[in-house]
Amino acid sequence: MGMAQMTEEEVYDFLGAGTRTGHLATIRGDGRAHVKPVWFVLDGTPEGFVLLLNTGESTVAGRNLARDGRVSISVDEPVPPFSFVIVEGTAELITDLPLVREAAAEIGARYMGAERADEYGERNGVPGELLVRVTPSKVIGVRDLAD
């Protein structure tokens, strides 16, 4: 009864399923946490993946990441039996517009449908937008909290 640890494959499948929103935590200049919801996609395999997301370089998150690349991302399933994944890692900021646009289109396709992928790629693949590539250093996946 209770919590069960996810396998690497279960973590990967959980993070890639549906349109779950991630909650990105970054570190403010004064050490306080800043958390914001983010759309994301995975790149890689269950044995080694990165998370890709977009943010603006002038946003609180963008400024925090430029100063300190340490991040945590929490993703949960808020219905019984409740499950979650927490990814701790380091963010790399990418400004290369073709890469930003490509990732933005893939993210848009996941959350809004393939027919809107180009729209989101064009909207978020512009100067001032960043592709954030999060490389995990620690991953915790727990499933079936209420069982």
Side-chain angles (χ1 to χ4, degrees), residues 9-32:
E9 188 166 318
E10 287 173 326
V11 164
Y12 186 82
D13 290 346
F14 180 88
L15 290 174
T19 57
R20 293 182 181 119
T21 300
H23 308 282
L24 173 71
T26 60
I27 304 167
R28 294 176 186 263
D30 64 5
R32 292 179 299 138

Side-chain angles (χ1 to χ4, degrees), residues 1-100:
M1 182 164 179
M3 299 189 317
Q5 298 297 312
M6 290 185 192
T7 65
E8 287 179 338
E9 188 166 318
E10 287 173 326
V11 164
Y12 186 82
D13 290 346
F14 180 88
L15 290 174
T19 57
R20 293 182 181 119
T21 300
H23 308 282
L24 173 71
T26 60
I27 304 167
R28 294 176 186 263
D30 64 5
R32 292 179 299 138
H34 173 260
V35 179
K36 76 176 223 172
V38 294
W39 292 354
F40 67 94
V41 293
L42 300 176
D43 186 22
T45 67
E47 296 78 27
F49 63 86
V50 297
L51 288 87
L52 303 175
L53 57 106
N54 295 112
T55 196
E57 62 187 4
S58 64
T59 64
V60 173
R63 292 189 314 268
N64 289 347
L65 291 170
R67 189 188 63 263
D68 187 332
R70 294 176 293 166
V71 298
S72 292
I73 299 175
S74 171
V75 180
D76 71 315
E77 182 61 42
V79 296
F82 306 106
S83 300
F84 68 87
V85 171
I86 297 172
V87 176
E88 297 177 358
T90 305
E92 172 190 3
L93 302 181
I94 299 167
T95 58
D96 180 83
L97 286 181
L99 294 177
V100 175

